[in-house]
């Protein structure tokens, strides 16, 4: 995926702004890995236990929703 911005629904958070910079994405999630968000059918956020993996950069937006969700884990 190339660089772009969009809004998407993240499980447990709601609608969040997503800034992608030459973004990779998750090809598939193993059992025990929770898919938190998808954009255009591609997995862009996952969680396993207290670990998060994101294809987007929440630090580039004003919203702190993703940061707050991470801290709440």
């Amino acid at each position: 995926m190339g660089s772009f911005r969009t809004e998407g629904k993240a499980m447990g958070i709601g609608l969040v702004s997503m800034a992608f910079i030459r973004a990779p994405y998750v090809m598939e999630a193993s059992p025990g890995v929770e898919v938190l968000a998808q954009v255009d059918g591609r997995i862009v956020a996952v969680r396993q236990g207290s670990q998060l993996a994101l294809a987007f950069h929440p630090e580039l937006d004003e919203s702190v929703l993703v940061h707050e969700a991470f801290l709440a884990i």
Side-chain angles (χ1 to χ4, degrees):
M1 292 172 34
S3 299
F4 65 99
R5 286 183 179 267
T6 191
E7 286 188 334
K9 188 173 183 180
M11 204 158 138
I13 300 173
L15 193 63
V16 296
S17 180
M18 299 176 177
F20 294 89
I21 301 173
R22 296 177 304 280
Y25 58 91
V26 179
M27 296 289 291
E28 61 182 297
S30 299
V33 175
E34 181 181 10
V35 175
L36 300 176
Q38 295 185 43
V39 171
D40 296 333
R42 294 181 171 153
I43 301 169
V44 297
V46 293
R47 174 182 174 186
Q48 184 175 21
S50 62
Q51 298 178 346
L52 294 178
L54 307 173
F56 60 95
H57 294 268
E59 74 278 7
L60 297 179
D61 290 298
E62 293 181 12
S63 173
V64 295
L65 291 174
V66 175
H67 304 297
E68 288 172 347
F70 172 70
L71 292 173
I73 293 176

